Amino acid sequence: MRKRWIAMLLVLVFCLPYVSLAETTLYVHNPNAADRLNLRKNPDQNSLSYGKYYNGVEVTVVNTQGEDWVEVKIGSGNGEAEGWMMTRYLSAQKPDSAMQQYVTLAAVRGYSKPERSAQTMKIEAGRRFLLMGVAEQTLDTWWHIRVFTDTSEGPYHAFVRQSDLIQVVKALSPEHGVSVYVSNPDKTDRLHLRAQASVNSRSLGKYYNGCEGKMIGFSEDGEWLKVKLYGRVGWMKSRFLCIEGQRNNTWYGIPTITTTSEWTLVYPGPDKNKSNGNTGLERGTVLEVLGLIGSDLLHVRKADGTLCYIKASDTDYVDPKSK
């Protein structure tokens, strides 16, 4: 059914002269998400493979060969690849991505083609990238990657040698991450930890410059990072975070406060309705404020490193944005 549907789509494109083939976007969609799809030199299963690509990789159709094959481009600019893929493993609907997410811990050399003699580019430390496909050659194994930046230029594509990456990249997963630091240009401001990767999503709290967490993933557009932050998991805008390996120009802004009540009740979590009534802090206890949740709950760190939550009204805390 999928093969017939895609074939009909491609026929429709040919029948409408004002629609460019270059505007037709499909996605690699193998029934087995752990498998990959060959990009071949010619529309033939025995033809040379330029690389194997993961589910979710976006391809642009440029030509067809009957119902079984389409010629596609993958990537853009200097990091573009072109070849043939089997139609039955492509879909007009984007499947769940099987592309692994990585971060560069140090600068690495990128290439415009999977060739040592190709034009090179510098991929800086702290860059997030998706592994789209792998090309295994006699001398080298090449990764075709999509690199994200926080500039107006947006993401770009490149080829990198796997041997160059071994010591300078780290794969992201819910269990393993890379250190990130809140780095807002306005040192008195805070950064929202959101429930989802959207500015319209519920805020889980606003955290100060210098707060440290672990990046465990990023959104498909690269604009949001999924982070573990002092026992909480949420999403933060990437442009306000410094990633391990990058230079941080707005390093520290965590304020210190003192408790003013005779007995400040301590909350083990961000829900004030689930407090531990037997735990509290004496007047004059000095704490670091990591973040503000709502209008009156502080996420704080004690001198011994213990984390907890207290009411701002029980301290001398002043919200800098209320001045």
Side-chain angles (χ1 to χ4, degrees):
M1 178 64 71
R2 184 196 303 163
K3 176 180 175 181
R4 180 180 299 175
W5 192 91
I6 295 175
M8 291 174 63
L9 173 65
L10 297 177
V11 169
L12 178 62
V13 170
F14 274 118
C15 291
L16 298 176
Y18 58 89
V19 176
S20 170
L21 281 175
E23 296 176 356
T24 305
T25 298
L26 299 175
Y27 301 91
V28 175
H29 192 175
N30 258 304
N32 180 1
D35 204 355
R36 297 167 295 176
L37 180 60
N38 281 291
L39 178 71
R40 296 198 179 274
K41 181 178 181 180
N42 297 305
D44 185 330
Q45 284 186 275
N46 296 316
S47 179
L48 174 69
S49 174
Y50 289 143
K52 297 179 180 179
Y53 287 82
Y54 290 91
N55 271 10
V57 170
E58 180 180 310
V59 306
T60 302
V61 178
V62 296
N63 198 3
T64 63
Q65 180 72 37
E67 296 183 358
D68 295 327
W69 293 89
V70 288
E71 187 177 14
V72 300
K73 292 191 297 185
I74 301 176
S76 61
N78 290 331
E80 183 179 279
E82 187 169 338
W84 293 83
M85 284 182 158
M86 297 189 73
T87 307
R88 64 183 177 185
Y89 298 119
L90 297 173
S91 172
Q93 293 186 338
K94 190 172 185 178
D96 292 337
S97 174
M99 293 179 278
Q100 177 65 62
Q101 298 184 341
Y102 290 87
V103 173
T104 56
L105 302 181
V108 65
R109 181 181 299 173
Y111 295 79
S112 60
K113 297 179 180 180
E115 302 170 0
R116 295 191 184 191
S117 59
Q119 178 183 346
T120 62
M121 65 196 79
K122 181 181 180 181
I123 301 174
E124 298 176 342
R127 292 300 186 206
R128 312 173 299 284
F129 71 85
L130 291 171
L131 172 58
M132 300 190 302
V134 178
E136 297 181 355
Q137 300 180 0
T138 303
L139 296 177
D140 299 301
T141 296
W142 293 87
W143 287 13
H144 194 184
I145 64 176
R146 187 183 189 200
V147 186
F148 294 93
T149 70
D150 293 315
T151 67
S152 59
E153 297 178 358
Y156 63 91
H157 299 84
F159 293 90
V160 287
R161 291 194 298 172
Q162 180 175 286
S163 57
D164 292 339
L165 291 170
I166 293 175
Q167 301 298 326
V168 300
V169 299
K170 188 170 186 178
L172 300 178
S173 70
E175 296 78 28
H176 301 95
V178 171
S179 294
V180 291
Y181 308 89
V182 177
S183 184
N184 205 316
D186 181 352
K187 295 184 180 181
T188 64
D189 203 357
R190 286 76 48 95
L191 181 61
H192 283 282
L193 179 71
R194 300 277 184 185
Q196 302 295 332
S198 168
V199 293
N200 297 318
S201 178
R202 178 171 60 95
S203 174
L204 304 179
K206 298 181 287 187
Y207 286 81
Y208 282 91
N209 273 2
C211 284
E212 179 181 356
K214 291 288 185 181
M215 172 173 46
I216 57 176
F218 54 85
S219 60
E220 289 189 8
D221 59 10
E223 294 184 4
W224 292 84
L225 306 187
K226 190 173 187 180
V227 299
K228 285 184 178 179
L229 192 70
Y230 305 116
R232 313 185 74 199
V233 176
W235 295 84
M236 286 181 152
K237 271 286 191 179
S238 61
R239 69 173 182 269
F240 299 124
L241 291 169
C242 177
I243 300 174
E244 182 179 343
Q246 293 179 328
R247 181 178 178 179
N248 193 338
N249 295 318
T250 53
W251 174 247
Y252 209 75
I254 296 176
T256 300
I257 60 168
T258 304
T259 56
T260 55
S261 297
E262 289 294 333
W263 184 253
T264 299
L265 191 63
V266 169
Y267 300 88
D271 186 349
K272 289 186 289 186
N273 296 321
K274 298 180 179 179
S275 64
N276 183 346
N278 297 321
T279 304
L281 302 173
E282 296 180 350
R283 181 197 295 268
T285 302
V286 178
L287 303 161
E288 288 182 306
V289 179
L290 304 172
L292 173 65
I293 301 171
S295 60
D296 191 45
L297 191 65
L298 300 176
H299 195 176
V300 299
R301 179 165 53 196
K302 301 178 186 178
D304 63 1
T306 304
L307 303 173
C308 61
Y309 302 82
I310 60 174
K311 288 183 179 180
S313 54
D314 289 332
T315 74
D316 61 1
Y317 174 77
V318 177
D319 187 343
K321 290 301 178 182
S322 66
K323 294 181 179 179

